[in-house]
């Protein structure tokens, strides 16, 4: 959920809206925002499953350090979603839970 | 394979409050610094701070953090300081060269002097369920809501009652979330009275002598179990987010690679880069500033940046020692004031010999 109104920061002032595809389904995102925030706004919580135990992981640090937010973007696996900017038509794959 | 190599007088790694102040100080002494930052914007973690700062006018008192960050970037633009964004300092070799990666290329930088201002990363806290999506660093939540304008959760439990915990809890409410509780293992609130009072007005509970037992949920957090450590009673709060505000660790990878000595100081975040009063490390022509030299506040990081900038310019032969000494005295005086406010004076004299002996 985007915060459209904020008592201190005012109205949301984001770049143009674009369409991204999450597991093939179209969603709205803002051009240049991190993929991680677009996914969170779209309601995605589990960004990846761990290899051995298949446990869900989601963003933790939001500054490109923890690697818990890795997703598949345009066919490239394990891309850190919090430091990758959204582009028009981007295709993102997350666990289908 | 060979990389192109560029030579510079001064390279500053990190465009946060410490790095930008270091660059501005250097440029005022006719130095031409190059600032590197891996993010797409300069200003560092100031950009997510929507609360007003205190201190004196030197530290932008009364202004909000993001305004201070934006102003520092503007000043750098005015002074034509080169800030290379999306540029990750991937390695700092012992011969003094820096390996940089940007979206298009990888290259080497050779600098006569280097100021490391890489900041810190949030510490996690391990409890059953802490890896569930929805458990995140309080600073991470702050970035998500204040920079990217996405609500981290509707009902959130905050772990830790230090300034970060208190400020972020308040900001979550401002952004439209509600706080289930603030959990603190200690028997007193750790942060400033002024932040605590704001939360009290909102009727938010701070649970002292409580700990997290576990987080529950399948694909993400649904609840948190909290134990009253005195009675042993366990309470369950329905939440969709748990924020951890349990301290920060300095990002010491680059100075460590370069060969800078570290020292252990629990109060300053654990392993920090050993440095003197003027921010010189154990390696010649390598300086630190900000959280990498010990986790404190942004206003302190800014003053440390200025000190590091002066030291680098002295060593590059750009300022006379006498002039530098006067400027330093003023800055050190302001640092003492700031540390007195934050209530944790951590000057050279106060570090115990035990802590100082723990160097690598």
């Amino acid at each position: 959920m985007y915060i459209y109104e904020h008592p201190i920061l005012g109205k949301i002032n984001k770049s143009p809206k674009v369409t991204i595809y999450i597991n093939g389904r179209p969603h709205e995102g803002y051009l240049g925002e991190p993929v991680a925030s677009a996914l969170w706004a779209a309601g995605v919580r589990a960004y990846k499953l761990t290899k051995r135990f298949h446990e869900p992981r989601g963003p933790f640090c939001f500054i490109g350090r923890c690697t818990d937010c890795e997703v598949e973007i345009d066919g490239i696996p394990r891309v850190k979603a919090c430091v990758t900017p959204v582009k028009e038509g981007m295709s993102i794959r997350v666990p289908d839970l | 394979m060979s990389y192109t190599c560029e030579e510079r007088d001064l390279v500053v790694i990190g465009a946060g409050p410490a790095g930008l102040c270091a660059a501005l100080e250097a440029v005022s002494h006719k130095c031409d610094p190059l600032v590197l930052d891996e993010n797409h914007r300069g200003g560092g973690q100031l950009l997510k701070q929507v609360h007003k700062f205190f201190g004196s006018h030197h530290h932008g008192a009364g202004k909000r953090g993001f305004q201070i960050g934006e102003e520092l970037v503007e000043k750098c633009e005015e002074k034509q300081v080169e800030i290379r964004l999306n540029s990750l300092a991937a390695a700092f070799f012992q011969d003094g060269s820096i390996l940089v990666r940007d979206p298009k290329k990888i290259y080497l930088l050779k600098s006569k002097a280097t100021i490391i201002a890489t900041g810190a990363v949030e510490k996690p806290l391990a409890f059953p369920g802490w890896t569930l999506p929805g458990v995140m660093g309080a600073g991470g939540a702050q970035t998500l809501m204040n920079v990217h304008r996405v609500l981290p959760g509707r009902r959130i439990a905050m772990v830790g009652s230090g300034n970060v915990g208190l400020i972020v809890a308040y900001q979550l409410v401002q952004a439209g979330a509600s706080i289930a509780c603030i959990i603190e293992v200690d028997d007193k609130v750790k942060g400033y009275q002024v932040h605590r009072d704001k939360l009290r007005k909102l009727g938010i509970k701070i649970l002292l002598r409580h700990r997290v037992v576990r987080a529950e949920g399948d694909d993400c957090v649904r609840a948190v179990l909290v134990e009253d450590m005195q009675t042993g009673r366990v309470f369950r709060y329905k939440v969709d987010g748990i924020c951890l505000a349990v301290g920060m660790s300095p990002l010491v990878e680059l100075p460590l690679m370069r060969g800078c000595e570290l020292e252990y100081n629990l109060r300053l975040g654990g392993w920090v880069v050993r440095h003197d009063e003027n921010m010189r490390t154990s390696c010649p022509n390598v300086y630190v500033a900000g959280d990498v030299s010990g986790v404190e506040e942004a206003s302190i990081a800014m003053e440390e940046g200025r000190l590091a900038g002066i030291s680098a310019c002295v060593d590059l032969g750009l300022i006379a020692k006498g002039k530098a000494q006067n400027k330093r005295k003023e800055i050190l005086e302001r640092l003492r004031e700031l540390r007195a406010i934050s209530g944790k004076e951590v000057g050279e004299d106060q570090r115990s010999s035990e802590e100082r002996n723990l160097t690598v």
Side-chain angles (χ1 to χ4, degrees):
Chain A
M1 191 175 75
Y2 286 106
I3 304 160
Y4 292 100
E5 284 286 347
H6 190 285
I8 287 159
L9 299 167
K11 274 195 167 40
I12 195 164
N13 180 24
K14 285 217 178 197
S15 44
K17 278 186 180 168
V18 293
T19 304
I20 55 170
Y21 297 87
I22 305 173
N23 291 350
R25 286 186 291 273
H27 285 267
E28 265 183 356
Y30 289 92
L31 185 68
E33 76 171 318
V35 169
S37 66
L39 290 175
W40 199 265
V44 177
R45 292 295 174 268
Y47 285 39
K48 71 169 182 188
L49 296 178
T50 58
K51 226 173 174 177
R52 273 179 76 191
F53 300 113
H54 306 283
E55 289 173 353
R57 292 283 190 276
F60 180 81
C61 78
F62 267 99
I63 52 170
R65 281 284 161 277
C66 73
T67 71
D68 268 5
C69 70
E70 288 171 338
V71 293
E72 184 187 303
I73 300 179
D74 292 333
I76 301 168
R78 296 178 62 186
V79 182
K80 287 190 267 190
C82 72
V83 288
T84 306
V86 159
K87 284 182 197 142
E88 170 70 50
M90 216 171 212
S91 172
I92 303 146
R93 195 148 283 282
V94 294
D96 229 340
L97 295 174
Chain B
M1 169 167 191
S2 71
Y3 298 110
T4 57
C5 187
E6 184 183 341
E7 288 186 24
R8 301 289 296 218
D9 282 343
L10 175 62
V11 171
V12 180
I13 306 173
L20 293 180
C21 283
L24 285 169
E25 187 64 43
V27 86
S28 77
H29 303 295
K30 303 212 160 45
C31 182
D32 178 23
L34 167 64
V35 184
L36 301 173
D37 197 291
E38 64 177 314
N39 297 292
H40 70 289
R41 265 179 86 187
Q45 305 312 311
L46 279 173
L47 299 179
K48 65 187 187 194
Q49 311 296 340
V50 299
H51 64 283
K52 288 181 181 166
F53 278 51
F54 5 95
S56 68
H57 69 278
H58 282 287
H59 319 113
K63 285 182 196 155
R64 299 187 189 277
F66 69 91
Q67 293 167 326
I68 299 172
E70 284 166 0
E71 278 177 21
L72 286 174
V73 173
E74 275 166 30
K75 266 188 213 159
C76 284
E77 280 166 5
E78 222 172 85
K79 304 277 180 198
Q80 293 176 325
V81 172
E82 188 184 350
I83 304 178
R84 275 185 209 165
L85 299 170
N86 300 310
S87 298
L88 173 80
F92 191 4
F93 300 109
Q94 306 218 331
D95 68 357
S97 55
I98 301 160
L99 187 72
V100 186
R101 193 196 73 195
D102 68 24
K104 292 199 176 107
K105 59 192 180 302
I106 292 175
Y107 58 97
L108 276 174
L109 273 175
K110 260 217 146 61
S111 65
K112 290 182 188 138
T114 309
I115 297 173
I116 305 172
T118 44
V121 65
E122 289 188 282
K123 282 182 183 159
L125 179 71
F127 48 82
W130 79 279
T131 55
L132 280 170
V135 180
M136 59 174 81
Q142 209 182 13
T143 305
L144 186 59
M145 65 180 167
N146 294 343
V147 180
H148 308 309
R149 297 291 292 263
V150 175
L151 201 62
R154 289 177 192 278
R155 190 155 178 80
I156 289 170
M158 177 66 68
V159 183
S161 74
N163 283 324
V164 173
L166 299 182
I167 289 171
V168 176
Y170 187 74
Q171 291 176 1
L172 279 161
V173 175
Q174 279 181 323
S178 69
I179 300 293
C181 57
I182 298 175
I183 302 152
E184 172 59 60
V185 287
D186 212 332
D187 56 7
K188 56 181 186 297
V189 177
K190 297 287 193 62
Y192 295 160
Q193 179 88 37
V194 44
H195 299 313
R196 187 172 79 185
D197 290 346
K198 278 181 169 174
L199 291 166
R200 193 163 278 167
K201 269 186 211 157
L202 294 174
I204 290 168
K205 282 181 287 194
I206 302 181
L207 306 173
L208 300 174
R209 301 279 292 142
H210 279 64
R211 68 178 189 100
V212 178
V213 179
R214 65 171 185 271
E216 291 181 341
D218 35 25
D219 56 334
C220 64
V221 176
R222 308 280 180 196
V224 60
L225 267 64
V226 182
E227 183 195 37
D228 181 331
M229 292 159 74
Q230 277 162 314
T231 64
R233 284 185 63 190
V234 175
F235 303 87
R236 187 172 187 272
Y237 292 88
K238 277 180 87 173
V239 293
D240 58 356
I242 300 174
C243 286
L244 305 181
V246 292
M248 319 259 278
S249 301
L251 285 167
V252 296
E253 294 95 332
L254 290 175
L256 198 57
M257 230 186 137
R258 175 66 182 77
C260 297
E261 278 178 19
L262 303 186
E263 61 183 20
Y264 193 79
N265 188 321
L266 196 59
R267 239 179 340 174
L268 293 177
W271 289 103
V272 302
V273 179
R274 175 189 270 225
H275 59 88
D276 69 5
E277 193 184 55
N278 299 316
M279 311 315 287
R280 289 187 176 98
T281 68
S282 60
C283 291
N285 302 313
V286 180
Y287 316 82
V288 281
D291 282 353
V292 71
S293 70
V295 176
E296 294 179 274
E297 288 172 32
S299 36
I300 291 176
M302 289 162 72
E303 296 292 13
E304 288 178 343
R306 292 182 186 116
L307 279 176
I310 292 172
S311 296
C313 288
V314 169
D315 297 346
L316 288 169
L318 297 166
I319 337 175
K321 283 220 165 104
K323 191 182 163 194
Q325 217 42 49
N326 289 337
K327 279 207 87 163
R328 273 180 185 146
K329 255 177 75 181
E330 286 171 27
I331 297 172
L332 288 169
E333 187 49 45
R334 294 203 297 265
L335 269 173
R336 263 188 288 276
E337 279 170 31
L338 284 169
R339 286 182 172 134
I341 298 174
S342 71
K344 46 171 190 179
E345 171 81 52
V346 281
E348 197 71 9
D349 52 317
Q350 290 220 341
R351 289 188 188 162
S352 71
S353 54
E354 237 174 29
E355 282 172 337
R356 291 170 63 76
N357 285 336
L358 271 168
T359 56
V360 285

